[in-house]
Amino acid sequence: MSGNYLAGPQGLLWSINARAVLDVVDREGPLGRPEITRATGLSKTTVAQTLRELVARGVVEEAGADTTRRGPAATLYRVAPRCALALGVDIGHLRVRAVLVDAVGETLAQAETEAPRRRVADTAAAVTALAAECAGRAGTETGAIGQAVVGVPAVVARDGRTVRRAYGLPQGGRGLAEAIERDLPVPLLLENDVNLAAVAEQRFGACADVADFVLLGLGVGLGAGIVLGGRLHRGFAGGAGEVGFLPHPATELGTEVLGARRIAEQARQAGIEGRPSPREIFESARGGDERALAVVDATARRIAHVAASIALVIEPELFVLGGAFGASADLLLGRIRRHLARDAAPLPIRIIASGVPGDAVLRGAAWLARHRARERAFAAVVGGRPYDTDPAGSEEGDIA
Amino acid sequence: MSGNYLAGPQGLLWSINARAVLDVVDREGPLGRPEITRATGLSKTTVAQTLRELVARGVVEEAGADTTRRGPAATLYRVAPRCALALGVDIGHLRVRAVLVDAVGETLAQAETEAPRRRVADTAAAVTALAAECAGRAGTETGAIGQAVVGVPAVVARDGRTVRRAYGLPQGGRGLAEAIERDLPVPLLLENDVNLAAVAEQRFGACADVADFVLLGLGVGLGAGIVLGGRLHRGFAGGAGEVGFLPHPATELGTEVLGARRIAEQARQAGIEGRPSPREIFESARGGDERALAVVDATARRIAHVAASIALVIEPELFVLGGAFGASADLLLGRIRRHLARDAAPLPIRIIASGVPGDAVLRGAAWLARHRARERAFAAVVGGRPYDTDPAGSEEGDIA
DNA sequence: GAGTAGGTCGGAAAGTTTCCTACTCGAGGT
DNA sequence: ACCTCGAGTAGGAAACTTTCCGACCTACTC
């Protein structure tokens, strides 16, 4: 249903063809007309006309000439970088980070600040301040941003605005979204941080060609970013992937199998003093600390257990360790695989470490923001998208 | 990827429009031209031309006239029932059933026989014999069948041919598919029976407008048919929904939480004599037998547990009780809801009884076979489907 | 007579083919 | 070492084809 064209006038054909040209140019980078002609199957006359029109409308621009071939130089075309600006934000527990990117994914500016602890208004103010800082450095205004995506450690409803079950964030409902929008009047989308990490994994990491995978991420809680058929699966109310509460033989129902708190508790039980963070425990384990290693092993066992449960439900092709787990994959992967083998999971389970360098949540947020900003700019130019030219390219699902 | 048109010549426009007309006629039943014109947004000239062509190609036919309006009678059009025949088969534990339907879903013939117990060849022979019987009664030949879908109590790989982990069926790998095809040379697809029940639920039952739901079915084992975004989710190797092995606090890892065997074992523990089937136990419970009621309650508790686990992973909008559970929903639903409430599942869970009358697996098989046969016939006439006009209508997923 | 179904014709829109020009590289001759 | 010419390529213009649409017309029924 929704935006699908039923049938249409001839103009529809131009939309389809323009979209095809645009997608090819977008995907393959700067491209000469002959390549576009070959890739789309259109005649060169049509390609030429379409490109002229796309350039006139500002979404495509010339980008030098290709002189590698013999014959006259071919004009190269690329997506106009400035046709869509996008802002990605990662609201973490310690820091709030923001990045401003253009339509081709180039980073224009970055900024970060310490995470406010208490009030929603402070968090929103931090976000808008970072946005303004980025815009300033990039020489534009925040109003030029076509889409902002903000990653939060919480369950976000499918409207992309309502926040539930926030970890460390106020449970503000729609408060955060509304507070941000007051000072940053651009299209805004909140998204669960683990989901964004999964998007990053799909776009920049190890899952470029994997249609079905699950990213297991450790923040305060344990979360799963689930990608099925190349699209993010959010669940009916955005609660899919809250696997931290999956029942485990060794824990009571309704309590967390795994999460920062659980790891801390295990550390206490193992006799580790102080209140080390998971990251610090993994660090000690890497140094050979026996008690820390025990905690790591217990953690690995629980991850294996969670993965096995998830696999029985949706059988993804691949599991990926991200978040704090990703950084400790060297310690965890082998142990997880051993536990999986020992418990004789009914299905073979592949599990690997994240392949995303840097802040995956931030990169995922920026990618999604860029994708949506660009999609909107493209749709304005070539008309509503009649169909998915690139199925793997639209994981936005049902978010309006 | 796949069948998505990138761009095309003018002919593409005809394909799109013809497809739109076809879909409207298909969905809304016999329809006059003016309605088709309104529904598609095309001009009446184009609709007339397109219909002429579709009739000439045999997928649409005239179906009387509509004289309810004043003015001249409007010619009605419908999908030609004979443009695609489809065979649905349900290989159950006791019976093998088959039904032959035409392109508009009308039942042409039905047949059933006792399920062979041992050899793959016998099962295949039963299927082909039923197919021949149906074809004979309908006055055609088996060769005229455009698609056969066979439901089996087993995990079926995404090729729709390879069988793994069969319950009560030989583990034949591709043996069954190949044996059937030897005598029934038509496009064949094997599919997990619970998945087919889910398809039936979506098409004829309680989930017509639910994009994400999970059907819990009890056969020999416990299986889940998972529909996400209106499409069946099969998993990487067809193993999604094998939730019978989900870990449960009260059972060892690697053993079944729930299934016919588990219920039988509980019945024995409860002191019930003989070896009653689950159905018989539910029957006794309905009669007030205390021991049977205890088994029912334990079953309800396990179902609640499994549903809660599934919900934490994918958060569907709805759970549906099918199979033997569906028939006993009166006993189970209240108890399941009570257990869900008591265990304080983190998410609200809606669970209802199946709304499909009769053999859901058979109806799902017939629907899927009809859908695929029709899709193939349509594609041959209007050219490859350029895009999904009806997203909810194509749950065939990745099966070639 | 008003309203509706269906048909026909000419125009408009879009894409393709064909032909043409201009440009560059490289091979071979001088 | 320089020149010439052929092959291959990029870009553009005109004529043609396909397809859809709007307008007009006829026929039918209440």
Side-chain angles (χ1 to χ4, degrees), chain B:
Chain B
M1 318 236 145
S2 72
N4 260 335
Y5 242 100
L6 270 177
Q10 297 111 310
L12 174 61
L13 204 44
W14 185 82
S15 287
I16 292 176
N17 290 340
R19 182 78 216 191
V21 169
L22 200 45
D23 282 341
V24 168
V25 171
D26 185 28
R27 235 189 349 261
E28 317 275 330
L31 223 56
R33 283 197 211 173
E35 285 73 37
I36 299 173
T37 305
R38 269 192 294 278
T40 58
L42 293 166
S43 73
K44 62 176 186 155
T45 315
T46 305
V47 169
Q49 279 174 345
T50 306
L51 280 173
R52 218 189 337 269
E53 194 60 30
L54 290 175
V55 170
R57 298 192 187 187
V59 288
V60 167
E61 61 181 31
E62 299 190 2
D66 176 11
T67 57
T68 60
R69 285 160 287 198
R70 80 168 146 186
T75 317
L76 293 176
Y77 294 85
R78 68 169 172 216
V79 169
R82 288 284 172 151
C83 80
L85 297 185
L87 182 76
V89 179
D90 171 19
I91 299 183
H93 292 93
L94 304 173
R95 315 283 296 168
V96 179
R97 293 193 183 85
V99 60
L100 184 70
V101 299
D102 64 19
V104 296
E106 210 64 41
T107 297
L108 300 180
Q110 280 187 291
E112 62 175 281
T113 183
E114 201 151 322
R117 283 282 152 190
R118 295 266 164 232
R119 299 180 335 192
V120 172
D122 295 340
T123 304
V127 171
T128 55
L130 291 176
E133 191 179 336
C134 285
R137 278 195 220 154
T140 55
E141 302 164 7
T142 53
I145 295 170
Q147 173 77 52
V149 170
V150 178
V152 293
V155 173
V156 180
R158 269 155 59 144
D159 61 3
R161 308 169 50 74
T162 313
V163 170
R164 289 185 299 130
R165 264 197 285 147
Y167 295 97
L169 262 182
Q171 298 279 346
R174 315 180 61 168
L176 180 60
E178 282 167 3
I180 293 176
E181 274 176 336
R182 253 195 299 281
D183 285 329
L184 188 68
V186 302
L188 173 69
L189 190 67
L190 304 187
E191 182 56 273
N192 175 272
D193 52 0
V194 182
N195 281 352
L196 291 178
V199 169
E201 206 62 47
Q202 188 181 23
R203 302 299 159 181
F204 309 110
C207 301
D209 296 315
V210 183
D212 297 1
F213 71 90
V214 171
L215 182 123
L216 294 173
L218 177 67
V220 172
L222 174 70
I226 300 174
V227 174
L228 299 177
R231 336 175 73 108
L232 213 43
H233 177 76
R234 295 183 169 87
F236 180 57
E242 290 299 294
V243 294
F245 291 88
L246 274 175
H248 183 271
T251 56
E252 285 170 39
L253 280 175
T255 59
E256 266 189 319
V257 198
L258 189 52
R261 265 168 295 194
R262 172 67 66 178
I263 291 178
E265 182 195 316
Q266 287 178 327
R268 211 169 42 244
Q269 288 175 356
I272 298 176
E273 321 229 316
R275 289 172 153 271
S277 71
R279 215 172 278 270
E280 288 161 349
I281 294 171
F282 287 129
E283 208 46 59
S284 316
R286 207 171 277 112
D289 184 308
E290 284 296 331
R291 294 167 305 177
L293 275 170
V295 176
V296 169
D297 195 63
T299 301
R301 184 169 183 184
R302 280 156 188 264
I303 294 174
H305 169 82
V306 167
S309 292
I310 295 173
L312 285 170
V313 178
I314 53 177
E315 200 198 14
E317 182 175 348
L318 188 62
F319 285 88
V320 182
L321 286 188
F325 291 157
S328 310
D330 55 325
L331 291 170
L332 288 169
L333 274 181
R335 289 179 169 82
I336 293 171
R337 292 190 182 123
R338 222 164 314 148
H339 282 295
L340 284 172
R342 195 178 310 153
D343 289 350
L347 300 167
I349 291 178
R350 263 182 73 207
I351 183 163
I352 62 171
S354 165
V356 180
D359 183 339
V361 177
L362 186 63
R363 298 197 68 177
W367 190 92
L368 188 55
R370 177 168 78 92
H371 179 71
R372 291 174 65 91
R374 219 176 28 178
E375 213 43 57
R376 194 172 296 127
F378 289 180
V381 166
V382 302
R385 164 168 252 196
Y387 58 93
D388 274 350
T389 317
D390 173 18
S394 60
E395 72 311 278
E396 3 175 359
D398 291 299
I399 292 197

Side-chain angles (χ1 to χ4, degrees), chain A residues 17 22 52 55 149 165 174 203 234 272 307 322 352 355 371:
Chain A
N17 290 340
L22 199 44
R52 217 188 337 267
V55 170
V149 170
R165 263 195 287 146
R174 314 182 60 169
R203 302 297 158 183
R234 295 183 168 87
I272 299 176
I352 62 172
H371 179 72

